[in-house]
Amino acid sequence: MKKLQQVGLLTFLLSAAPFSFAQSASQIQVAVNGEYVTFPDAQPYVDTSSRRTMVPARFVAEKLGLAMQWNPQTSQVTLQKAPNTIQLTIGHDYALVNGKKVHFDAPAVLRSNRTMVPLRFISELFDARVEWLAERHLVAITTSGHAGAVPPASVPSAPDSAWQHRRSTWLWDASLLYTQQEQIIRFASEHQLSAIYLQINRDIPPTVYQAFIRKAQEKQIAVEALEGRPQWAFPANHDNLKSFLNWVRTYNASVAAHERFTGLHFDIEPYILPEWKSNRDQIVQSWMDTVRLIEKERRESGLRLSLDIPFWLHQVKVPGTDYSLSAWMLEKADAVVIMDYRNAALGNDGIVANAQPILREAATLKKKVIVAVETAPSAEGPHTSFHALPLQSLKTELQLAQEHLGQYASFAGFAIHDYNHWVRLKQGGS
């Protein structure tokens, strides 16, 4: 950083030619000192107006040895490496470098819930050499004290290297927030989760939720308010649904922006009721009425809506039509999570084959699909859960599934059901 104070470097930073290429986000790779950087969800991309390469700040910062802090109240990122400090604010085309304003031509932005920053600005500000290897779509960064190192042409198969989209999990026991907040956030951060679906227990004081969501947002992890029961498909239980929605609305209105739920997440599942077999059309109609009510009520909150649905729901038709119920649900929600509870990626009854019909529907409707797998014990057979398998099996099968599902524009990543069982699987327990 000895060059940081020099006018010559600042002039170079402001006038350096941007990368002259137009690759899609999924094609651009970044390596620091010969090691690839894994981006778990938001990918590098080229800003069309400035032609600057934008990257998720946290992951490159870690590779460059920078400490990073995110302040959701001011939308400001602080990068530090003693004795120097850089502050960038979302939407601003300048940074404060040790208190001095330095302009650049691509402002920091939020994308896929990640802070994206101009790669060349950050890298060269910290005295790093940046090279663009066009034939490999690779940005190679070499920091001071390292010889120029370029990684092998193929991306190494690190355990998490294929989880390039959103990752999320369900947290059903909100009482864990009393004693395990730090543990949960640490686990979520280590596994680069971008969302936690948290079931609401209204007996828990709002201050507990405030503290948890605040910590999650500091790690850029969204928290969605989770609720739902099979009986909620019936009008007789709509008061319970409205009460939940009112609680979330009231809570969000009473706390700071960085302590709010970012979405509503419903897991209703009326198809597990005995009436599903005897009077399915009526249950479907009631379920649809419930979703209509949710859609109407959530407009007042402005929150995103996600619905959990089974992978086979495309086979169920809206009563009196040939239109699939899964497509109807996609129309009402911002995203669906398909419960694709299988422990093998390939095959006629594998994760990929089961996910494809709804992914195709979502692509047509321009909606998003998250593919969920199970780690809890299941009475439906050993093929439905990773519960009895090693953790490596989960990683291997999801990596394989991503290779096939990543071709769909609607594919938005994986969800692991659920937090408690995933932790036990990680620890090798049963």
Side-chain angles (χ1 to χ4, degrees):
M1 279 294 289
K2 56 180 178 288
K3 297 183 182 179
L4 186 61
Q5 307 297 333
Q6 298 177 5
V7 175
L9 175 62
L10 295 179
T11 302
F12 173 75
L13 285 171
L14 297 175
S15 61
F19 298 129
S20 57
F21 58 88
Q23 303 298 332
S24 68
S26 62
Q27 292 176 304
I28 300 172
Q29 300 179 76
V30 177
V32 177
N33 297 328
E35 295 185 7
Y36 284 97
V37 180
T38 298
F39 301 100
D41 36 46
Q43 302 298 297
Y45 68 96
V46 179
D47 179 70
T48 55
S49 58
S50 67
R51 298 184 65 78
R52 293 286 183 183
T53 301
M54 306 295 289
V55 295
R58 182 173 299 280
F59 306 104
V60 173
E62 289 173 354
K63 285 290 185 180
L64 290 173
L66 312 176
M68 175 177 164
Q69 291 182 319
W70 162 252
N71 186 332
Q73 289 181 302
T74 60
S75 297
Q76 189 174 76
V77 174
T78 301
L79 298 169
Q80 290 181 307
K81 190 174 184 180
N84 302 289
T85 300
I86 297 176
Q87 292 179 316
L88 302 102
T89 302
I90 298 300
H92 288 189
D93 61 353
Y94 63 86
L96 295 178
V97 181
N98 293 333
K100 183 176 180 179
K101 185 180 290 187
V102 178
H103 287 271
F104 46 94
D105 49 13
V109 298
L110 281 178
R111 180 163 169 161
S112 299
N113 208 32
R114 293 289 181 187
T115 302
M116 311 295 287
V117 296
L119 175 61
R120 183 180 290 275
F121 177 84
I122 297 301
S123 300
E124 294 191 6
L125 199 60
F126 283 93
D127 200 14
R129 188 174 78 238
V130 181
E131 299 175 90
W132 167 240
L133 305 180
E135 71 280 2
R136 291 173 54 184
H137 314 311
L138 174 66
V139 179
I141 305 169
T142 304
T143 61
S144 178
H146 289 78
V150 177
S154 59
V155 180
S157 56
D160 291 336
S161 63
W163 288 10
Q164 296 295 318
H165 295 75
R166 173 188 177 107
R167 270 186 279 177
S168 47
T169 194
W170 288 260
L171 181 57
W172 292 103
D173 185 1
S175 68
L176 294 178
L177 302 188
Y178 283 119
T179 58
Q180 297 185 30
Q181 284 198 26
E182 298 296 339
Q183 179 181 331
I184 295 167
I185 296 296
R186 184 167 57 251
F187 181 90
S189 182
E190 287 173 355
H191 291 78
Q192 292 147 356
L193 299 188
S194 58
I196 295 173
Y197 314 142
L198 175 63
Q199 186 177 32
I200 301 305
N201 180 340
R202 280 173 265 178
D203 292 332
I204 293 176
T207 53
V208 177
Y209 291 111
Q210 287 177 261
F212 179 72
I213 295 174
R214 187 166 59 244
K215 292 171 185 175
Q217 288 211 13
E218 286 173 359
K219 299 292 185 181
Q220 299 193 41
I221 301 168
V223 181
E224 299 180 10
L226 166 66
E227 196 49 278
R229 292 166 177 76
Q231 292 79 9
W232 279 20
F234 300 118
N237 292 282
H238 284 181
D239 285 346
N240 293 326
L241 187 154
K242 290 180 181 179
S243 178
F244 162 72
L245 290 169
N246 184 61
W247 185 94
V248 175
R249 246 190 333 262
T250 302
Y251 169 86
N252 270 8
S254 66
V255 301
H258 62 292
E259 297 169 339
R260 294 172 186 160
F261 293 99
T262 59
L264 297 167
H265 196 109
F266 285 91
D267 182 45
I268 297 178
E269 302 189 58
Y271 46 84
I272 69 174
L273 297 171
E275 296 94 327
W276 181 263
K277 292 183 179 179
S278 61
N279 199 354
R280 190 173 73 177
D281 279 1
Q282 183 176 339
I283 301 297
V284 168
Q285 287 284 15
S286 292
W287 190 8
M288 292 170 62
D289 288 341
T290 297
V291 173
R292 290 188 185 99
L293 174 62
I294 291 171
E295 183 190 29
K296 177 184 175 182
E297 293 285 328
R298 69 103 175 206
R299 288 175 192 157
E300 297 182 27
S301 68
L303 295 175
R304 288 175 56 83
L305 173 62
S306 298
L307 301 174
D308 293 343
I309 62 174
F311 69 82
W312 46 260
L313 199 63
H314 66 283
Q315 299 172 1
V316 179
K317 305 302 180 184
V318 173
T321 76
D322 290 327
Y323 197 58
S324 78
L325 185 57
S326 55
W328 188 92
M329 294 287 178
L330 280 162
E331 288 183 349
K332 300 301 179 186
D334 296 295
V336 299
V337 179
I338 57 173
M339 293 173 281
D340 196 354
Y341 291 171
R342 296 293 183 267
N343 59 22
L346 304 182
N348 293 334
D349 190 28
I351 296 168
V352 172
N354 289 337
Q356 286 175 329
I358 295 179
L359 281 165
R360 285 192 287 266
E361 290 180 338
T364 300
L365 295 167
K366 294 181 170 51
K367 294 298 181 73
K368 294 299 182 182
V369 173
I370 298 166
V371 177
V373 295
E374 179 70 277
T375 62
S378 173
E380 297 180 25
H383 63 291
T384 61
S385 176
F386 287 92
H387 169 70
L389 299 177
L391 176 63
Q392 187 57 45
S393 295
L394 173 65
K395 295 180 177 180
T396 299
E397 295 302 319
L398 290 189
Q399 179 172 345
L400 186 57
Q402 167 131 356
E403 291 173 3
H404 290 77
L405 300 179
Q407 64 181 296
Y408 294 95
S410 54
F411 176 61
F414 294 108
I416 315 298
H417 185 270
D418 58 8
Y419 167 76
N420 282 337
H421 290 94
W422 187 6
V423 168
R424 293 171 193 164
L425 186 69
K426 182 179 187 297
Q427 294 171 344
S430 60

